[in-house]
Amino acid sequence: MKVVVLTGAGISAESGVPTFRDADGLWEGHRVEDVATPEAYELSPTTVHRFYDARRAALLSVDPNPAHTALARLEQSLGDDLLVITQNIDDLHERAGSERVLHMHGELRSALCRACHGRHRWDHDLVDLPPCPGCGVTELRPDVVWFGEIPYEMDRIAVELARADLFVSIGTSGAVYPAAGFVRQAMRYGARTLELNLEPSEGTVWFHEARHGRAGDLVPEWVAELLAGVSR
Ligand SMILES: [Zn+2]
């Protein structure tokens, strides 16, 4: 059985990672258009670098929660038959032990070179404009997909959704495209679809089944059910 899981801000929020969908509509005190668009970067690269440098440093103060751990456990059983597609730019899935994770919106712990287009594992600040490890040019930017940019690996995602027997959406609002359209893509090719979210998402009607509550409760329960079924 092929399982594709899509995760969003809700799963990270339970680890204490602040998201821009918080109640005040700001992301750590910033308007999204001031820190998460190519235009903002052109206008004030220093502001944007400081913002992501702080987010990257803040990863050290959060830990994976039981939802991340349960998905890593599921990967141990399903292997290549599980793919986690995440909209999150933190590294909590990896730190819980997951290896098959596709970061469609990029990663905080990665830098993208605007000169050679290389992507480099990055755990330091970018604000002092360090040289690219690949080409030496000082054009490294945060390797995150900003509003107005195309998410990573959309072709591969389309193939994986078409192959999926089960599509599970965890902690996503169902408001941000293209990810919000994945459920319908998977369903068109015959996948069963399940939503696990704090509240009904905007796309909740598209799911065969929806369970509402904390990811830290719902995901371990669901993984236990699935593994019991697989071993039967
Ligand atoms: Zn480069």
XYZ file of all heavy atoms in Angstrom, residues 32-42 48 52 146-149:
142
model
N 3.735 39.125 6.209
C 4.275 38.108 5.303
C 4.905 38.734 4.064
O 5.982 38.335 3.607
C 3.154 37.118 4.914
C 3.579 36.259 3.745
C 2.795 36.248 6.104
N 4.272 39.783 3.545
C 4.804 40.384 2.309
C 6.130 41.115 2.534
O 6.829 41.439 1.573
C 3.764 41.321 1.653
C 3.158 42.362 2.559
C 1.875 41.875 3.244
O 1.839 40.719 3.714
O 0.919 42.672 3.320
N 6.490 41.352 3.805
C 7.769 42.011 4.079
C 8.934 41.032 4.240
O 10.098 41.448 4.254
C 7.668 42.855 5.365
C 6.744 44.050 5.171
O 6.521 44.439 4.003
O 6.235 44.573 6.178
N 8.629 39.757 4.392
C 9.721 38.787 4.608
C 9.633 37.550 3.714
O 10.581 36.768 3.661
C 9.785 38.315 6.084
C 10.254 39.449 6.983
C 8.455 37.752 6.568
N 8.526 37.340 3.029
C 8.351 36.073 2.308
C 7.942 36.279 0.849
O 7.137 35.529 0.311
C 7.331 35.189 3.024
N 8.535 37.287 0.227
C 8.318 37.481 -1.215
C 9.656 37.854 -1.856
O 10.526 38.432 -1.197
C 7.319 38.628 -1.504
O 7.877 39.856 -1.008
C 5.961 38.380 -0.856
N 9.830 37.542 -3.147
C 11.052 37.952 -3.850
C 11.201 39.472 -3.836
O 12.319 39.986 -3.759
C 10.834 37.448 -5.288
C 9.755 36.424 -5.205
C 8.915 36.759 -4.017
N 10.088 40.200 -3.866
C 10.136 41.673 -3.872
C 10.727 42.189 -2.557
O 11.533 43.136 -2.551
C 8.740 42.255 -4.080
C 8.135 41.986 -5.449
C 7.599 40.566 -5.642
O 7.432 39.849 -4.619
O 7.379 40.159 -6.790
N 10.337 41.576 -1.446
C 10.876 41.989 -0.144
C 12.385 41.793 -0.107
O 13.127 42.631 0.419
C 10.208 41.184 0.978
N 12.833 40.683 -0.685
C 14.270 40.393 -0.689
C 15.038 41.405 -1.539
O 16.127 41.848 -1.151
C 14.518 38.967 -1.192
C 15.949 38.533 -1.070
C 16.495 38.250 0.183
C 16.766 38.413 -2.186
C 17.815 37.859 0.313
C 18.090 38.024 -2.073
C 18.614 37.743 -0.817
O 19.927 37.360 -0.697
N 14.478 41.780 -2.673
C 15.137 42.781 -3.513
C 15.230 44.122 -2.791
O 16.231 44.818 -2.849
C 14.358 42.985 -4.829
C 14.358 41.778 -5.766
C 15.771 41.334 -6.170
O 16.675 42.193 -6.247
O 15.961 40.116 -6.377
N 15.249 40.490 5.425
C 14.823 39.119 5.128
C 15.825 38.121 5.699
O 15.437 37.133 6.330
C 14.645 38.935 3.603
C 14.359 37.475 3.261
C 13.516 39.826 3.098
N 15.043 35.105 8.588
C 15.244 33.654 8.440
C 16.403 33.149 9.293
O 16.364 32.009 9.766
C 15.415 33.281 6.956
C 14.108 33.409 6.214
C 13.828 34.542 5.463
C 13.127 32.424 6.325
C 12.607 34.684 4.810
C 11.905 32.558 5.684
C 11.654 33.698 4.929
O 10.434 33.829 4.306
N 9.124 31.405 -1.664
C 8.348 32.581 -1.260
C 7.057 32.681 -2.063
O 6.905 32.027 -3.107
C 9.209 33.834 -1.461
C 10.301 33.969 -0.444
C 10.225 33.602 0.866
C 11.622 34.489 -0.646
N 11.424 33.874 1.500
C 12.289 34.423 0.605
C 12.291 35.013 -1.743
C 13.592 34.857 0.780
C 13.600 35.450 -1.576
C 14.247 35.377 -0.322
N 6.168 33.515 -1.584
C 4.920 33.743 -2.305
C 5.257 34.267 -3.699
O 6.096 35.155 -3.849
C 4.024 34.726 -1.548
C 3.439 34.105 -0.310
C 4.109 34.178 0.902
C 2.243 33.386 -0.359
C 3.595 33.567 2.045
C 1.728 32.778 0.769
C 2.395 32.866 1.973
N 4.614 33.668 -4.704
C 4.903 34.046 -6.079
C 5.935 33.144 -6.733
O 6.176 33.262 -7.930
N 6.567 32.243 -5.947
C 7.539 31.304 -6.507
C 6.912 29.901 -6.589
O 5.959 29.601 -5.868
C 8.805 31.267 -5.648
C 9.524 32.606 -5.641
C 10.817 32.607 -4.826
O 10.865 31.932 -3.768
O 11.762 33.279 -5.239
